[in-house]
Amino acid sequence: MMNLRVLFLALLLLASPLLQVARCQSDAEDHSSLVDDVVGEHSDDAVEEDDQDLDNLTSAPGVETVCVFPKNTAKLVPAGEETELLVALKNDGKTNVGVMGIRASVHLPYDHKLLVQNLTMLRFNNASIPTSLQATFPYIFAVSQYLQPGAFDLVGYIIYDVEGKPYQSVFYNGTIEVVESGGLLSGESVFLITLGIGLLLLLGLWAYSQVQRLTKKTKKVSKVEVGTRSTDASLDEWLEGTTLAKTLSAKSKNKKN
């Protein structure tokens, strides 16, 4: 009976990681479906009022764009948290430019055909830029909290119309660094730092033991030997001319006789 209980507990322990993985996968699927629903509401179908294909839109002459990550020059994007960027559009054309919206997507850096995530599209109502003026629009986005930290490419478009014809311009096409949310140190970083400290401690203990071993080998006990002859000679010189010296001399002569 005891063996059966132990076997049952072992099976539970082995099965628990599999249950956790399955739960995480189901949560990820639910989140991805929610993201797809949000993107579907705000992406192509919402903007294509005239059944225009956004991928085929080109930029209009006289329109310039620029993008800035405020207070985020490193372009760090915490997974699951909101990130803000500013999109500026300058109208050097001859007519007003009506801004329709901003859209963006995340791709793998080595191949933009591999789409990672479509970000939420931001729409504008009655946003018009007169000629020879410029305007700045904030765009707040969030990548999936399940996205693995690393380098990805962000491609952003601003969609506008000139005299009723839709256009779009790329305001950003570059790399962003996705990091874990909740602080500067990730779990992987903490593990690496702890491992490094442990290795340094082991190396210090090994070096200390080697020094102690070498010290024991090289340490020798020095012995001092005192010569009797030199001692006796110094004593004779010190006692020369005294009564004790004469007595000792007489005793030595008697011994020789």
Side-chain angles (χ1 to χ4, degrees), residues 78-197:
E81 296 184 4
E82 292 183 345
T83 301
E84 181 184 12
L85 58 84
L86 300 178
V87 182
L89 188 147
K90 184 179 180 181
N91 181 15
D92 288 333
K94 298 180 180 180
T95 59
N96 294 349
V97 172
V99 181
M100 302 168 63
I102 296 175
R103 69 185 182 102
S105 55
V106 180
H107 305 260
L108 293 180
Y110 54 85
D111 189 359
H112 280 196
K113 293 181 180 179
L114 299 177
L115 176 66
V116 177
Q117 181 183 356
N118 272 323
L119 302 177
T120 303
M121 180 159 183
L122 177 64
R123 297 189 62 190
F124 301 101
N125 295 322
N126 301 323
S128 180
I129 304 176
T131 181
S132 301
L133 293 179
Q134 65 179 14
T136 303
F137 304 92
Y139 178 61
I140 299 175
F141 66 93
V143 300
S144 173
Q145 60 178 334
Y146 302 103
L147 189 60
Q148 183 71 21
F152 295 89
D153 279 359
L154 175 69
V155 182
Y157 302 89
I158 183 168
I159 307 168
Y160 52 93
D161 71 89
V162 178
E163 296 182 346
K165 184 179 180 180
Y167 296 90
Q168 73 173 1
S169 296
V170 178
F171 61 83
Y172 185 80
N173 185 3
T175 304
I176 58 173
E177 187 72 20
V178 177
V179 297
E180 290 185 358
S181 61
L184 296 176
L185 291 179
S186 63
E188 184 179 357
S189 301
V190 172
F191 171 75
L192 293 177
I193 292 174
T194 305
L195 180 61
I197 294 174

Side-chain angles (χ1 to χ4, degrees), residues 9-44:
L9 291 175
L11 291 175
L12 287 179
L13 291 175
L14 292 175
S16 58
L18 299 177
L19 293 175
Q20 291 177 359
V21 171
R23 183 178 297 177
C24 292
Q25 288 180 349
S26 62
D27 293 342
E29 292 175 356
D30 294 339
H31 183 271
S32 62
S33 63
L34 178 60
V35 171
D36 291 339
D37 293 338
V38 173
V39 172
E41 291 176 1
H42 296 279
S43 59
D44 295 347

